[in-house]
Amino acid sequence: MNKVFGYPKSEKLKNKKVIDQLFSEGKSVSKYPLKLIYIKNTTSSKAQIQAGVTVPKRNFKSAVTRNRIKRLLREAYRLNKQQVFNNTEGRFAFLFLYLGKEVPTFKQIEKGMKTLLQRFYEAEIGPNQNE
């Protein structure tokens, strides 16, 4: 298996302090129905980027539906993360939120994920290239 497309445990965002920090200090970019909240990660993790996904219970009462959407988000991130991985220096923590009110298709999620990652790259890495 090619490691570029993996999503190992070390890349999963699980640290409660970092998640709280994301919501209090994080910057964000959006592309409906997705929102990416990110910060520079200062923890001593091995992974360059740690990512987590969340779907609000308010919009989807059924756990089965929420889990399906989270699985789609993780898969879209896994397939498109090399966009960011290959071009960034530094460590980041990502949190992907699903903002829509209806169950999406994989194509919708993947299109939004590509746009989000591109916007993150332009916002965070683009301005630093001139230095």
Side-chain angles (χ1 to χ4, degrees), residues 7 47 96 114:
Y7 187 42
F96 295 98
K114 286 178 181 177

Side-chain angles (χ1 to χ4, degrees), residues 1-8 11 75 78-82 85-86:
M1 169 152 168
N2 191 347
K3 296 237 181 229
V4 174
F5 291 109
Y7 187 42
E11 288 179 20
E75 182 69 2
R78 183 184 73 82
L79 292 173
N80 295 294
K81 70 179 180 181
Q82 72 275 4
F85 257 85
N86 297 337

Side-chain angles (χ1 to χ4, degrees), residues 26-99:
K27 299 176 191 170
S28 68
V29 290
S30 293
K31 167 66 171 99
Y32 188 82
L34 301 177
K35 181 176 184 177
L36 167 63
I37 302 174
Y38 64 93
I39 56 168
K40 280 227 182 238
N41 197 351
T42 55
T43 61
S44 59
S45 68
K46 291 179 275 184
Q48 181 182 3
I49 295 176
Q50 287 190 311
V53 298
T54 184
V55 179
K57 193 173 185 178
R58 178 178 36 171
N59 296 345
F60 299 97
K61 301 294 184 215
S62 167
V64 173
T65 307
R66 285 195 309 276
N67 290 342
R68 168 138 179 86
I69 296 169
K70 287 192 277 189
R71 194 165 43 246
L72 291 172
L73 286 168
R74 283 191 294 266
E75 182 69 2
Y77 170 72
R78 183 184 73 82
L79 292 173
N80 295 294
K81 70 179 180 181
Q82 72 275 4
Q83 247 181 287
V84 176
F85 257 85
N86 297 337
N87 302 316
T88 60
E89 283 127 32
R91 299 184 188 287
F92 288 93
F94 284 178
L95 187 63
F96 295 98
L97 285 91
Y98 182 76
L99 304 173

